[in-house]
Structures are given as structure tokens and as C-alpha cells.
Amino acid sequence: MPNESAAENNVVVISHQPLFTRLGTLLLIVGMVVVFFISQLLGIYIAGKLLLPTAESTTLGDIFFFGSNDGTVVSISIMIGCVLLVAISALVIRMRGGNLKQYLALTPFSLAVGMGMIGLLLLFMIGSQALTYVLDKSPLAFVDPLYQSVSSVWLLVFAMVIVAPIYEELIFRGLLWSAIAEQFTSSSDFLLKSEYRGAMVASLVTSLIFAVIHLQYGLYEISTIVVLALLFCYARIKSGSLILPILLHIINNGAAMWQYLAQVA
């Protein structure tokens, strides 16, 4: 349970009895990254088999090739992946005897902290957009074939703006963040410095992994994602809640999608 001084400073305090050993945490990180990619592939396969014309889905390679460029298939696959990843994350925590709500920090957050973090996100988006313009980058070019082939634009918007942020935050600022942070909190050390140390290490590690898994982007975009991920981590630390990073992620994706749609309209 959080101690009083930590609660006053809006800091996430991890239970003093870690759910995972250090080896278990390493295996969890590797396992969840693998599961993340498998869920995407499985989602594409299931949605592709259901939605692609028979002529385009005769082989496994055809399903992945055509499906990954079909907006409707990708949108449905994101939803399938979300269900799988949420279920697996919940199962892992339950199997270790953890409290799902507490471990994932599914708690309310302060309105003042929320408004402050939204303001910080807006500053980031303005700076990022200015740099993107100066460098003449097109970070959302991968959306073009999806937008052109999706049966409904709103389906793509819902999947990429609402659904994707939920399961990405659940894994990276939720399960993995908590598992890493708790490794640096000694059961005999009740000083806040140990909590901050764990939070910093968890933030750095999860942000780097989160950026690397975005294979559809180039080096510049991945660098930007690292900064954005660190901002999401700061939001979790400051608010003590995973709900705020989810909200910020939705706002960020929504702004990016709105800008994209405004350009192609």
C-alpha cells in the first residue's frame, strides 16, 4: 500500500512484495514483447481470413501481405489484439496473486495534475510538429494505404485513436512498468528515493522498448516516440494512475489522426 508521504507527492508506490523476481521480470519483458507481435499477426490472420477476398488469401503469406495493407483488416486486427493482450496481462497478474486494479494503477487522478499533463503534452505536440515541418518528415505516411482501403474511416479512427492506446499503455506503462519498478524497491527501504529510482529505471526501459516496437517508423520518428513515452511515464508517476497516460495517448493519436485527415480531405 502507498505510504502517506508518497501519496502527498502524487508518486506511484509499488507494493513492497514484488510479484516477479528479477529473472521473472526479464522473462516477462521478453515474453510480452513476443506476445505483442504475435497478437498483431494473429489479429491480421483472423481478420484477413474473414474479410479478404478468397483470391487474395490463398496462402499465409498472401493474408499477411494484403491484410497488413488493408485498412479494415488492420482495424479489426487491432481490436482482436487488444482483447488478447488485455486478457493475457490480467491472467499473468492474477496467476502471480496480484491485485489487478492496484498493480496496473487503475485509479482516479487529480484534475489539476491531469490539466497540467495535458498542457505539457500540447507543448510537446507543438514542438514536435514544428520540428517535423522543418525536417520535412511525413510520420503518418504508413496510414495512406490503410485510409484508402478501409471500409469506414471511423473504424480506422476508432482502432488507432482509442483501442491501440488502451492496450499499449496497459502493457508498457502498466504491467511492464510496475514489474520493473518494483525490482528497485526494497522491502526494508521505505525512503522515497527507492520509489523514484524504480520509477526512473522503469520509465527509461519501457520507453525504449515502446519506441523500438514501432517498426513502421524511421529513426527520427522513433526518437520522438521515446520522448513521448517518457512523458506518458511521467504522467503515471505524477498522477499515480494509468488512466491519465491512456487519456494523453488518446489525445496525441487523435490530434495526429485529425491532422492527417485534414491533409487528405
Side-chain angles (χ1 to χ4, degrees), residues 1 3 13-18 22 181-191 194-195 197:
M1 294 292 292
N3 58 42
V13 178
I14 304 300
S15 170
H16 292 295
Q17 284 296 326
R22 295 212 166 178
E182 69 182 4
Q183 300 305 315
F184 298 87
T185 304
S186 171
S187 59
S188 60
D189 185 0
F190 294 97
L191 298 178
S194 69
E195 306 293 352
R197 184 172 65 248

Side-chain angles (χ1 to χ4, degrees), residues 36 55 64 74 105 127 147 160 217 225 230:
F36 182 90
F64 288 128
V74 170
Y147 171 77
M160 298 186 71
Y217 294 113
I225 291 173
L230 288 171

Side-chain angles (χ1 to χ4, degrees), residues 30-195:
V30 174
M32 288 307 298
V33 169
V34 171
V35 168
F36 182 90
F37 283 112
I38 290 176
S39 70
Q40 310 305 301
L41 294 174
L42 187 58
I44 291 289
Y45 177 77
I46 294 173
K49 289 291 286 185
L50 293 174
L51 301 173
L52 288 176
T54 305
E56 292 185 349
S57 57
T58 54
T59 68
L60 188 63
D62 289 336
I63 293 174
F64 288 128
F65 177 78
F66 291 107
S68 61
N69 289 286
D70 185 287
T72 304
V73 171
V74 170
S75 298
I76 299 299
S77 73
I78 289 174
M79 298 177 196
I80 293 172
C82 180
V83 173
L84 292 174
L85 290 168
V86 169
I88 291 172
S89 298
L91 180 62
V92 168
I93 294 172
R94 291 293 191 188
M95 287 178 63
R96 299 298 299 176
N99 182 296
L100 198 63
K101 182 178 179 180
Q102 179 182 348
Y103 202 73
L104 295 177
L106 300 176
T107 57
F109 58 87
S110 162
L111 179 61
V113 173
M115 295 303 295
M117 290 305 308
I118 290 175
L120 190 60
L121 176 63
L122 290 176
L123 290 176
F124 166 83
M125 290 192 296
I126 292 171
S128 176
Q129 180 58 37
L131 187 59
T132 298
Y133 177 79
V134 169
L135 297 177
D136 193 25
K137 296 289 185 178
S138 301
L140 291 180
F142 75 95
V143 179
D144 287 341
L146 305 181
Y147 171 77
Q148 293 164 6
S149 59
V150 72
S151 60
S152 169
V153 173
W154 291 110
L155 177 64
L156 185 64
V157 170
F158 177 71
M160 298 186 71
V161 174
I162 305 296
V163 180
I166 291 175
Y167 70 75
E168 288 181 349
E169 291 305 308
L170 186 76
I171 294 173
F172 293 98
R173 259 67 63 181
L175 176 60
L176 296 185
W177 195 96
S178 293
I180 295 170
E182 69 182 4
Q183 300 305 315
F184 298 87
T185 304
S186 171
S187 59
S188 60
D189 185 0
F190 294 97
L191 298 178
L192 278 178
K193 64 181 182 180
S194 69
E195 306 293 352

